Amino acid sequence: MLNCLKTAKFKLLLAMISLLVLTNTIQESYAKYISSASASSNFTIAQWTFKVNDQDVLAESDFSSTIVPVIDTNSNIKEGFIAPTSTGHFDVIVDYSEVGVSFDETVSVSYPDDSSVTDLVLTGYTLNGGPLVSIDAGDEISLTHLLGSATSQDTFRFFVQWIDGTGETMDNDADTAASKDETTSLNVNINFIQRAN
């Protein structure tokens, strides 16, 4: 019986050792096939940054303070002022050098409803120093800019004239009354739309 007890203890010890070896082997086997990894995929977003007359229009869409009218000199009109027969121009420079997509651009100049000088008319514009193009107030200038084009800005020069005589809508009394307002204006609207395809 003692021999049987020793044999049973030996078998139990052998079974425990076998179990430990088997457990250790299983853990090592599973460890070879269990792994994990993580990452984040970073995408660079294309820029959509426009400047009009050096002002970031996404940060501040009203660029009125950046438009400086230039009145042609006339020996009969005080320098820097407009009056009937005056001519002049103003520039709108659109910088799209930091835009990372193709886009369409529309530009229009219109009369405000409360303008005191209805005879101040838009006579035309040039684009990037090109030829003079006739345009009426409210007409849209439409341009398409494809990604990778050679240019990165548009310089519009808009020409105006205070007509007097043929085609005028204001008589002398209305011209005189307008001088009491001290200023008059034109509206400039620019829209940018990304091209989808």
Side-chain angles (χ1 to χ4, degrees), residues 8-182:
K9 282 185 180 180
F10 178 74
K11 284 182 180 180
L12 182 61
L13 181 61
L14 188 59
M16 289 177 87
I17 291 172
S18 295
L19 183 62
L20 285 173
V21 169
L22 181 62
T23 302
N24 191 33
T25 303
I26 289 171
Q27 284 179 345
E28 286 179 8
S29 293
Y30 281 133
K32 290 178 185 175
Y33 297 108
I34 296 176
S35 61
S36 65
S38 65
S40 34
S41 181
N42 295 319
F43 296 90
T44 304
I45 299 172
Q47 289 187 316
W48 184 255
T49 304
F50 295 92
K51 289 183 181 175
V52 176
N53 293 353
D54 289 326
Q55 178 178 309
D56 181 348
V57 294
L58 296 183
E60 177 57 54
S61 63
D62 184 352
F63 59 96
S64 299
S65 63
T66 69
I67 295 180
V68 180
V70 176
I71 307 303
D72 297 329
T73 56
N74 181 324
S75 60
N76 297 312
I77 300 171
K78 186 175 181 179
E79 188 174 336
F81 290 85
I82 65 167
T85 72
S86 290
T87 58
H89 69 270
F90 61 92
D91 292 338
V92 175
I93 302 169
V94 179
D95 180 345
Y96 50 91
S97 59
E98 295 183 38
V99 176
V101 296
S102 297
F103 66 96
D104 292 325
E105 171 185 12
T106 58
V107 181
S108 65
V109 177
S110 61
Y111 305 116
D113 293 335
D114 61 350
S115 178
S116 61
V117 182
T118 56
D119 285 344
L120 182 66
V121 297
L122 185 64
T123 59
Y125 76 96
T126 61
L127 175 60
N128 300 324
L132 182 66
V133 177
S134 293
I135 188 173
D136 291 321
D139 290 350
E140 281 192 352
I141 303 164
S142 298
L143 303 171
T144 295
H145 297 286
L146 299 177
L147 185 63
S149 67
T151 59
S152 60
Q153 82 174 31
D154 293 328
T155 301
F156 296 92
R157 177 163 285 181
F158 292 98
F159 295 89
V160 296
Q161 178 181 4
W162 186 333
I163 58 173
D164 189 50
T166 305
E168 71 179 344
T169 60
M170 299 170 63
D171 60 17
N172 290 339
D173 290 337
D175 289 342
T176 303
S179 69
K180 294 176 185 174
D181 287 340
E182 297 183 3

